[in-house]
Amino acid sequence: MIDWYEYQRKAEEKGFFTVCGIDEAGRGPLAGPVCAATVIMPLGLEIDGLNDSKKLSEVKREALFDVVKEMALSYGIGWASEQEIDEYNILQATFLAMRRAVEAMPICADYALVDGNRMPPLAIPGETIVKGDSKCACIAAASILAKVSRDRLLREWDTQYPEYGFAKHKGYGTKAHYEAINKYGILPVHRRSFLKNLGKK
């Protein structure tokens, strides 16, 4: 059985009492920004169904999005645009989104638990946890906020660019998405650094 608060308790034993979890959504897509979220959870809080956002259905993620925002002590959401991704590269843009998410929290965190194996440059200390979104409650909560926030944006774009199918693939490089790009061209919301081989239309 997973101890969802093991890492948070260990951080508190070191003297950190506002521990936030950080995760991102949208590193891989061909279009749109990368979104990061950070969440401070009350130690030991149980939220039914909380898990890595990738393991949850879209309906379940949407439901948990509101629960997490209501139950969290604090949360923040940060973005880095497709233009920033092209300018800095996806890793640095992800770090930028994470910093913005931390800075967006009304309550300042004093320690960060970050999903993955690369620590972003933050104003607070922290540690990385590989597959942290399936091991740590505050990271799992952050993964849900980031994923749902980004998916909602892409669904909005679907009404603006209906030929591209953003509501379905969320900007990822599916066969249908590549076919739409080849037929209709590259949009301002596409990451040009991800589409170098397609040329510019």
Side-chain angles (χ1 to χ4, degrees):
M1 189 172 174
I2 298 170
D3 181 355
W4 284 97
Y5 287 91
E6 177 186 0
Y7 292 95
Q8 191 169 332
R9 275 200 309 275
K10 286 180 178 177
E12 290 201 359
E13 287 168 7
K14 298 175 190 173
F16 300 106
F17 295 101
T18 50
V19 179
C20 69
I22 305 176
D23 201 1
E24 52 70 32
R27 285 187 66 166
L30 309 178
V34 61
C35 181
T38 181
V39 178
I40 300 173
M41 297 276 278
L43 187 64
L45 174 70
E46 290 188 19
I47 296 179
D48 186 41
L50 184 68
N51 206 333
D52 168 11
S53 65
K54 296 184 290 296
K55 297 178 181 177
L56 302 171
S57 69
E58 189 166 332
V59 171
K60 186 64 174 175
R61 285 195 301 266
E62 286 282 347
L64 284 170
F65 182 83
D66 294 325
V67 175
V68 167
K69 288 203 301 181
E70 183 180 340
M71 303 297 285
L73 295 175
S74 187
Y75 68 89
I77 295 169
W79 304 82
S81 69
E82 51 277 6
Q83 291 82 12
E84 289 171 323
I85 292 167
D86 288 340
E87 182 177 352
Y88 303 126
N89 74 44
I90 185 60
L91 178 63
Q92 295 306 317
T94 300
F95 287 169
L96 180 60
M98 288 178 171
R99 289 201 304 272
R100 288 170 174 166
V102 171
E103 291 164 2
M105 283 193 298
I107 295 175
C108 293
D110 60 9
Y111 195 80
L113 301 173
V114 183
D115 184 59
N117 61 1
R118 298 290 293 270
M119 189 70 192
L122 301 173
I124 56 174
E127 64 186 283
T128 57
I129 304 171
V130 175
K131 296 185 179 177
D133 46 10
S134 59
K135 299 175 182 176
C136 181
C138 55
I139 297 178
S143 79
I144 289 167
L145 294 195
K147 175 69 173 162
V148 172
S149 296
R150 192 179 186 280
D151 284 358
R152 288 179 177 180
L153 174 66
L154 272 290
R155 286 200 296 271
E156 288 177 19
W157 285 359
D158 192 65
T159 62
Q160 189 174 353
Y161 307 109
E163 304 89 354
Y164 289 80
F166 285 123
K168 191 169 185 180
H169 55 64
K170 306 300 190 297
Y172 282 87
T174 63
K175 182 171 180 280
H177 191 185
Y178 276 112
E179 287 174 352
I181 294 169
N182 285 322
K183 185 174 182 180
Y184 301 108
I186 294 172
L187 294 170
V189 298
H190 278 116
R191 304 172 181 179
R192 297 190 177 257
S193 57
F194 281 46
L195 295 169
K196 288 176 181 175
N197 296 331
L198 288 179
K200 295 182 179 180
K201 296 187 180 180

